[in-house]
Amino acid sequence: MRNIQLTALSLTLGALLLLGLMQSQASNSAAPAGGVLFFVALIAVPMCATAAVFATVSSLKLRTRAARAEYGFTRPFWWLVLALNSAQAVAYLGVIIILVFG
């Protein structure tokens, strides 16, 4: 479960870095840059989707105290990782609700 939480967090950070790269290069109107940005988007969007699934499922699994103790989420670092992934899962669910009902 720790690996899943760390994977979700690292995928999110990687996707944010790639999307930040896209944002910084979006002002460049050259045709080759547009092709590169398309391929960056093809990498970043699945990373976000995978992170959303990992964060949501693992955060739901760790919602009870017994489950957190069983998987070793007792130290402050793991509490921080769990809190970040839980906030991330809520944000992803909010985006999906907005897309479906918005």
Side-chain angles (χ1 to χ4, degrees), residues 20-29 33 37:
L21 172 69
M22 284 180 53
Q23 183 67 26
S24 68
Q25 296 296 321
S27 62
N28 189 355
S29 62
L37 293 178

Side-chain angles (χ1 to χ4, degrees), residues 71-84:
Y71 291 110
F73 281 82
T74 55
R75 297 185 185 248
F77 172 74
W78 293 109
W79 277 96
L80 178 65
V81 170
L82 180 61
L84 289 173

Side-chain angles (χ1 to χ4, degrees), residues 16 33-34 54 56 74 82-84 90 94 97 101-102:
L16 287 175
F54 283 0
T56 304
T74 55
L82 180 61
L84 289 173
V90 168
I97 288 171
F101 297 113

Side-chain angles (χ1 to χ4, degrees), residues 8-16 19 44-57 59 84-100:
L9 194 60
S10 63
L11 282 172
T12 300
L13 294 176
L16 287 175
L19 292 172
V45 171
M47 284 175 70
C48 285
T50 305
V53 171
F54 283 0
T56 304
V57 172
S59 295
L84 289 173
N85 279 334
S86 296
Q88 170 183 334
V90 168
Y92 285 134
L93 290 175
V95 167
I96 289 181
I97 288 171
I98 289 171
L99 288 175
V100 170

